[in-house]
Amino acid sequence: MTTNGCTGSGAYRIVPSVNGSTPALPHGGRGREFTPRVGLAATKADASPPTANISMAAEAPDPSPVFFDGKQIGSEAALNGYTIKITSICDREVLFDLVKQPE
């Protein structure tokens, strides 16, 4: 079902069954181990406003994931100098753009 949050726009895609985005985030100057993987735990695409629960994790400096619950269209999440912005929330799919990455 398409809702007002399911815009279909965004450079990166996450779904619950895959650990990481498609495509993966580009590596910064500190290397692959500092580059976060973005995951999707759940969406509430039919809620008003639609929300998503996402996570970000990198191998370094701490491999523990950071959870961001209740993110809405336009919300940002950040880890290790990377900042993403949620652009679309559909049923079991979230699209986002990379708005900042370390050099």
Side-chain angles (χ1 to χ4, degrees), residues 3 5-6 43 45 50-52 71-73 86 88-91 93-94:
T3 66
C6 189
T43 60
T51 61
K71 289 295 184 183
Q72 301 174 17
I73 299 291
I86 306 298
S88 179
I89 300 173
C90 304
D91 185 33
E93 176 188 73
V94 168

Side-chain angles (χ1 to χ4, degrees), residues 17-99:
S17 58
V18 178
N19 183 14
S21 61
T22 304
L25 294 178
H27 300 316
R30 293 170 45 188
R32 179 190 61 78
E33 61 274 4
F34 285 88
T35 305
R37 291 176 314 283
V38 183
L40 177 61
T43 60
K44 293 183 182 175
D46 292 331
S48 183
T51 61
N53 297 343
I54 65 171
S55 64
M56 295 178 80
E59 295 174 24
D62 180 358
S64 300
V66 178
F67 296 96
F68 302 91
D69 293 338
K71 289 295 184 183
Q72 301 174 17
I73 299 291
S75 295
E76 294 185 352
L79 182 71
N80 287 359
Y82 288 81
T83 303
I84 65 167
K85 184 176 185 177
I86 306 298
T87 56
S88 179
I89 300 173
C90 304
D91 185 33
R92 300 181 50 79
E93 176 188 73
V94 168
L95 300 175
F96 65 90
D97 288 330
L98 179 62
V99 295

